[in-house]
């Protein structure tokens, strides 16, 4: 009733998907979770390096470019595909680092990384490069949102 009085629809339509990244860990639709894990600054750097290796692998890049092509280079459909593709390489890393191998675990890992990327420009730059590779590198969808 209150929503109708404010001129809003009775039910809020789902927001477009977002991809949790180290510099922007809050994906739409996820509540702020209580942390079960923290990492040190050096662990954050190591984790970012591992993500960079995974995302830079030619096989992963090929899958991301296929996702972009299948989505006709439209950003939101691309993100829906990318979330599934990326999770295939993220899941083993989540387990290795002691995070739940779920979307919530991914969210928590990105929040832990953000604790350090927000304070350290070197880590923030590395996180940006990692995100660029996640989105397909120079020829990908990075910066097109």
């Amino acid at each position: 009733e209150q929503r109708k009085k404010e001129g809003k629809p009775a039910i809020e339509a789902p927001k477009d998907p977002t991809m949790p990244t180290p510099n922007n860990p809050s994906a739409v639709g996820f509540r702020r979770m209580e942390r079960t894990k923290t990492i040190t600054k050096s662990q954050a750097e190591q984790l970012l390096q591992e993500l960079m290796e995974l995302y830079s692998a030619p096989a992963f890049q090929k899958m991301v470019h296929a996702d972009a092509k299948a989505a006709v280079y439209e950003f939101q459909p691309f993100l829906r595909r990318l979330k599934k593709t990326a999770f295939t390489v993220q899941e083993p890393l989540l387990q290795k680092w002691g995070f739940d191998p779920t979307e919530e675990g991914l969210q928590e890992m990105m929040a832990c990384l953000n604790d350090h990327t927000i304070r350290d420009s070197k880590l923030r730059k590395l996180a940006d490069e990692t995100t660029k590779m996640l989105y397909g590198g120079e020829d990908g969808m990075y910066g097109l949102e």
Side-chain angles (χ1 to χ4, degrees), residues 13-24:
K15 302 244 190 277
D16 288 330
T18 61
M19 187 74 168
T21 63
N23 288 333
N24 186 17

Side-chain angles (χ1 to χ4, degrees), residues 70-141:
V72 198
Y73 300 97
E74 290 186 27
F75 195 71
Q76 292 304 327
F78 166 71
L79 274 188
R80 282 186 206 94
R81 291 174 174 276
L82 178 63
K83 286 179 95 164
K84 293 174 187 161
T85 298
F87 200 72
T88 64
V89 298
Q90 293 164 338
E91 186 177 20
L93 197 65
L94 289 168
Q95 291 175 321
K96 175 184 173 185
W97 282 84
F99 294 98
D100 283 343
T102 61
E103 280 197 59
E104 289 80 8
L106 177 63
Q107 179 81 13
E108 185 176 20
M109 180 176 78
M110 294 303 168
C112 286
L113 286 170
N114 183 254
D115 290 345
H116 299 285
T117 62
I118 203 164
R119 294 185 189 93
D120 186 293
S121 61
K122 179 182 163 204
L123 288 181
R124 187 170 30 258
K125 188 174 182 335
L126 179 58
D128 285 340
E129 289 300 313
T130 301
T131 300
K132 184 185 250 182
M133 293 311 293
L134 169 65
Y135 284 76
E138 293 292 328
D139 311 343
M141 299 287 288

Side-chain angles (χ1 to χ4, degrees), residues 14-54:
K15 302 244 190 277
D16 288 330
T18 61
M19 187 74 168
T21 63
N23 288 333
N24 186 17
S26 288
V28 173
F30 282 94
R31 67 194 190 309
R32 279 292 206 209
M33 304 168 33
E34 200 160 310
R35 298 276 186 84
T36 60
K37 186 161 179 55
T38 58
I39 59 175
T40 65
K41 182 179 171 183
S42 65
Q43 287 174 320
E45 185 172 7
Q46 184 182 350
L47 181 50
L48 285 168
Q49 291 288 359
E50 290 182 31
L51 283 168
M52 181 65 118
E53 283 178 37
L54 292 171

